Amino acid sequence: MSKVFVLDTNKQPLNPIHPGRARMLLSQRKAAVFRRYPLTLILKEEVLNPDIEPLRIKIDPGAKTTGLALVNDSTGEVVWIAELQHRGFQIRDALTSRRQLRKSRRSRKTRYRKPRGLNRTRPTGWLPPSLNSRVANILTWVKRLSSLCQINAISQELVRFDTQQMENPEISGIAYQQGTLAGYEVREFLLFKWDRTCAYCGAKDTKLEVEHIQSRSKGGSNRVSNLCLACVPCNREKGNQDIKDFLKGKPDLRKQILAQAKRPLADAAAVNVTRWNLYFNLKKMGLPVEIGTGGRTKYNRTKLLLEKTHYWDAACVGESTPERLITAGIKPLLINAKGHGTRQQCRPNKFGFPVRYCSRTKFHKGFQTGDIVKAVVTSGKKVGTHQGRVATRATGRFNISTTDGLVQGISHKYCKHIHKKDGYAYVA
């Protein structure tokens, strides 16, 4: 497990401790649980002149998932790791739906609603809500971890994909292509885009080669939209054949490959747009910020024999990565951004008309939607223990989203708080 954060009675951060030490403090009643996620204890007495070891927080930003790690540079110990799932694409889809509903309402034979004028200016550094949420999530967790332990430095992976170079290999000249990272951006992006599988047979955990969908000998280009991944047997069998001839008996697979190849670089663009905004916001925190490249991260991870995950990528960001990392027994905290609800006062139907009123009362029976609760039901059809995020109702009959599914109609009398709502869901 990851180490447990500790605060003294004045809420000043101390060194994180081993889970066994934390259990002993709790059993001896020398500490109490201050926060469940991430697990934090608060001591019942003040610690005078504590010897605190500073930690470095390391960040591997992604479009959908960001890796976070706390590393002790002096000992090489990985203290805490986590994966943060973003909700940027959900926000984008919600805004698109709202825009379409409002546009369709204005065009019907109803009371005319004049569209608002474009008279609002955007401040410097403005980002769309879907992208800004990614930056806000990371900053929230950096500040939260800074209040739970002593952080003296930040490492951020700043460059991963160069979309211009992938779209046009000649954009920066021959010298750029012949550097030490020549072709790396394209190969790494193709592994990400094709999920490390052969496009033709779906083989995994095998050697994959960069394959031209339309061969160079027949006029194919090096643009990323003409590239895919293929295992060695498939690559040799295809040769310079046209994909229509090679997959003559598999029209559905051919259509799927061509559609995937032309898929826009949405994920890479999201990372590229937000990386500098995140960097400048991290600089405002007053801590030294180290930047690293995807090439350095992959080199460190390969040298340390770590598997490809977001949290191990985070632990390997930058030149500050120790020659040896102590990772034995550590498990990640999985964090999923859920937001803080909605301000809608009514729910629309599929045509955009309001059909249901939403209560503006946040708390019901002492709980609010988004709290993580534990319900021990002793009678009725739902006997058992249910733990997860709760959706409250004024009637006092709540719904609980557990790892096994949704459990409906649980009385508030059986519910007990585990973690108050903070906009995130957790899996330890």
Side-chain angles (χ1 to χ4, degrees):
M1 294 178 61
S2 297
K3 286 199 170 183
V4 179
F5 298 106
V6 180
L7 306 176
D8 70 2
T9 189
N10 296 321
K11 298 184 180 179
Q12 298 303 310
L14 304 175
N15 288 330
I17 60 176
H18 188 274
R21 174 67 174 168
R23 286 192 295 270
M24 186 176 69
L25 290 175
L26 290 173
S27 63
Q28 295 176 353
R29 299 183 182 275
K30 293 182 179 180
V33 176
F34 179 76
R35 179 187 292 273
R36 184 62 66 96
Y37 300 105
L39 184 56
T40 306
L41 303 185
I42 183 168
L43 300 180
K44 296 184 178 180
E45 58 184 26
E46 185 179 1
V47 178
L48 300 176
N49 302 320
D51 183 15
I52 302 177
E53 296 183 354
L55 303 176
R56 176 186 293 270
I57 184 169
K58 311 187 84 173
I59 306 168
D60 176 36
K64 297 178 181 177
T65 306
T66 290
L68 300 170
L70 287 174
V71 179
N72 189 327
D73 288 341
S74 60
T75 62
E77 181 183 15
V78 180
V79 174
W80 183 86
I81 52 177
E83 277 191 0
L84 173 59
Q85 294 282 343
H86 299 294
R87 57 189 294 265
F89 291 109
Q90 299 175 24
I91 294 175
R92 180 198 63 187
D93 295 341
L95 292 176
T96 300
S97 174
R98 186 183 70 178
R99 183 173 64 251
Q100 291 172 344
L101 292 174
R102 287 179 174 178
K103 182 178 180 181
S104 64
R105 283 200 299 262
R106 283 194 294 267
S107 64
R108 296 197 193 101
K109 294 181 179 179
T110 57
R111 178 181 62 84
Y112 178 72
R113 292 181 59 195
K114 182 179 179 181
R116 73 167 179 84
L118 297 177
N119 57 350
R120 301 183 184 180
T121 59
R122 294 173 176 174
T124 303
W126 178 89
L127 287 176
S130 58
L131 299 181
N132 188 62
S133 71
R134 296 179 174 95
V135 177
N137 287 337
I138 297 174
L139 292 176
T140 294
W141 275 93
V142 171
K143 295 175 182 177
R144 185 171 297 179
L145 293 172
S146 298
S147 66
L148 300 179
C149 61
Q150 185 68 42
I151 294 178
N152 69 338
I154 302 173
S155 295
Q156 175 198 352
E157 185 180 284
L158 190 64
V159 180
R160 184 170 186 184
F161 302 128
D162 188 342
T163 55
Q164 291 186 351
Q165 189 263 350
M166 289 190 290
E167 288 293 348
N168 183 4
E170 300 293 337
I171 193 167
S172 296
I174 300 299
Y176 177 71
Q177 284 192 260
Q178 292 178 348
T180 56
L181 291 180
Y184 165 77
E185 300 288 350
V186 175
R187 288 195 298 272
E188 192 69 9
F189 180 76
L190 290 175
L191 288 170
F192 178 80
K193 183 176 182 179
W194 294 92
D195 196 24
R196 287 176 163 75
T197 60
C198 174
Y200 300 121
C201 68
K204 283 191 173 185
D205 301 324
T206 186
K207 183 179 179 180
L208 298 174
E209 300 177 341
V210 177
E211 155 71 7
H212 289 78
I213 298 175
Q214 183 179 1
S215 64
R216 294 292 304 279
S217 62
K218 295 186 178 180
S221 68
N222 282 326
R223 294 173 66 91
V224 73
S225 57
N226 190 46
L227 300 177
C228 68
L229 294 177
C231 62
V232 176
C234 289
N235 198 6
R236 290 179 178 175
E237 183 180 355
K238 180 177 180 294
N240 66 343
Q241 296 183 64
D242 190 280
I243 191 173
K244 294 180 180 179
D245 299 329
F246 181 61
L247 298 177
K248 187 176 181 179
K250 301 178 180 178
D252 293 337
L253 178 59
R254 182 182 71 237
K255 183 178 179 181
Q256 178 183 344
I257 291 174
L258 294 176
Q260 176 73 358
K262 294 180 180 179
R263 191 186 71 175
L265 310 178
D267 292 351
V271 175
N272 287 343
V273 169
T274 58
R275 59 183 180 176
W276 284 108
N277 187 287
L278 174 61
Y279 172 75
F280 290 127
N281 278 284
L282 292 174
K283 292 283 286 185
K284 293 178 182 178
M285 299 184 66
L287 295 173
V289 180
E290 174 197 35
I291 59 175
T293 65
R296 167 62 68 173
T297 300
K298 186 173 183 179
Y299 171 77
N300 291 337
R301 189 188 71 246
T302 304
K303 183 178 66 172
L304 294 169
L305 302 178
L306 297 174
E307 61 179 328
K308 169 64 178 173
T309 60
H310 294 283
Y311 46 87
W312 290 135
D313 274 351
C316 297
V317 168
E319 296 183 5
S320 63
T321 304
E323 292 293 326
R324 178 174 175 269
L325 286 178
I326 302 174
T327 62
I330 191 168
K331 294 183 179 180
L333 175 65
L334 305 182
I335 309 167
N336 194 353
K338 294 292 187 179
H340 293 276
T342 176
R343 293 180 295 175
Q344 282 184 312
Q345 295 188 2
C346 58
R347 295 284 189 267
N349 60 11
K350 65 180 181 180
F351 302 108
F353 287 98
V355 295
R356 187 177 64 183
Y357 172 75
C358 293
S359 172
R360 305 308 296 164
T361 303
K362 288 188 176 183
F363 289 88
H364 297 103
K365 311 298 183 181
F367 299 88
Q368 68 170 324
T369 298
D371 289 347
I372 299 176
V373 302
K374 181 178 181 180
V376 181
V377 183
T378 57
S379 62
K381 297 181 179 180
K382 300 179 177 65
V383 173
T385 301
H386 312 287
Q387 180 173 322
R389 284 169 56 88
V390 66
T392 62
R393 299 290 183 272
T395 60
R397 310 290 293 185
F398 299 161
N399 297 341
I400 302 177
S401 298
T402 68
T403 54
D404 298 325
L406 181 66
V407 182
Q408 300 183 359
I410 301 295
S411 172
H412 70 93
K413 298 178 182 179
Y414 297 118
C415 295
K416 181 180 179 181
H417 269 117
I418 290 180
H419 188 83
K420 295 294 184 68
K421 171 188 173 183
D422 61 357
Y424 299 91
Y426 305 92
V427 177

